[in-house]
Amino acid sequence: MSEEEYTGNPEHRIPGMISWTELFSQNPDASQAFYSQLFGWETDEMEIPNGTYTMFRCGKTPVAGLVKPTIPGLEDSQWLNYITVAKLEEALEKCLELGGSVILEPTPLPQGRFAIIRDTQGTAVGLYEYGEQPEVT
């Protein structure tokens, strides 16, 4: 799968854009059945260190992830958006300056790095910094 297919939209790399969304569910099987039937989404599953990660797809385009929550402070079932940032550390520093907090420190992925914060009202949001743009062949 190319990077463009993975993100679904190359504009997701623009800082400030919502680049991904995940459903943290205490019952991933029930959530997978519900959203697959509601929207006609198909799924792909992959093993990750803490269990199974399910990728929802609309046709060939990935639209969201599904995982059982394992991050302290995010135990409830909920949707979590990830917003693209140019520099993850700078965004985390700004979050703290504004009175927010960091739930999950920067974590590497093959496509970049992410962290999760809480805003001043207690709402969780992910911050995503893309890695180098892969060469398109």
Side-chain angles (χ1 to χ4, degrees):
M1 179 180 307
S2 75
E3 181 73 10
E4 206 165 282
E5 289 173 320
Y6 177 77
T7 63
N9 183 338
E11 291 181 354
H12 289 170
R13 290 181 167 272
I14 299 170
M17 296 288 288
I18 293 176
S19 53
W20 189 242
T21 190
E22 286 179 329
L23 174 57
F24 291 2
S25 174
Q26 287 297 330
N27 188 337
D29 292 337
S31 294
Q32 180 176 344
F34 178 84
Y35 288 102
S36 293
Q37 292 175 38
L38 181 64
F39 299 123
W41 287 347
E42 297 175 22
T43 59
D44 294 316
E45 293 183 349
M46 62 189 89
E47 292 305 311
I48 58 174
N50 296 327
T52 301
Y53 189 89
T54 301
M55 183 85 65
F56 285 118
R57 289 182 293 101
C58 184
K60 293 182 180 181
T61 304
V63 293
L66 167 64
V67 67
K68 187 166 186 166
T70 59
I71 300 167
L74 292 175
E75 293 87 2
D76 295 334
S77 294
Q78 61 187 297
W79 283 98
L80 181 74
N81 289 315
Y82 291 82
I83 299 174
T84 301
V85 296
K87 297 185 191 270
L88 189 55
E89 278 75 13
E90 288 180 13
L92 292 174
E93 286 177 29
K94 186 72 169 180
C95 167
L96 295 172
E97 287 173 16
L98 295 171
S101 61
V102 177
I103 297 173
L104 182 67
E105 294 291 333
T107 304
L109 292 174
Q111 304 82 11
R113 301 180 311 142
F114 76 99
I116 300 175
I117 63 168
R118 279 203 192 280
D119 67 17
T120 57
Q121 301 306 304
T123 304
V125 66
L127 305 178
Y128 195 91
E129 175 189 272
Y130 280 93
E132 295 296 315
Q133 176 76 25
E135 190 173 314
V136 179
T137 57

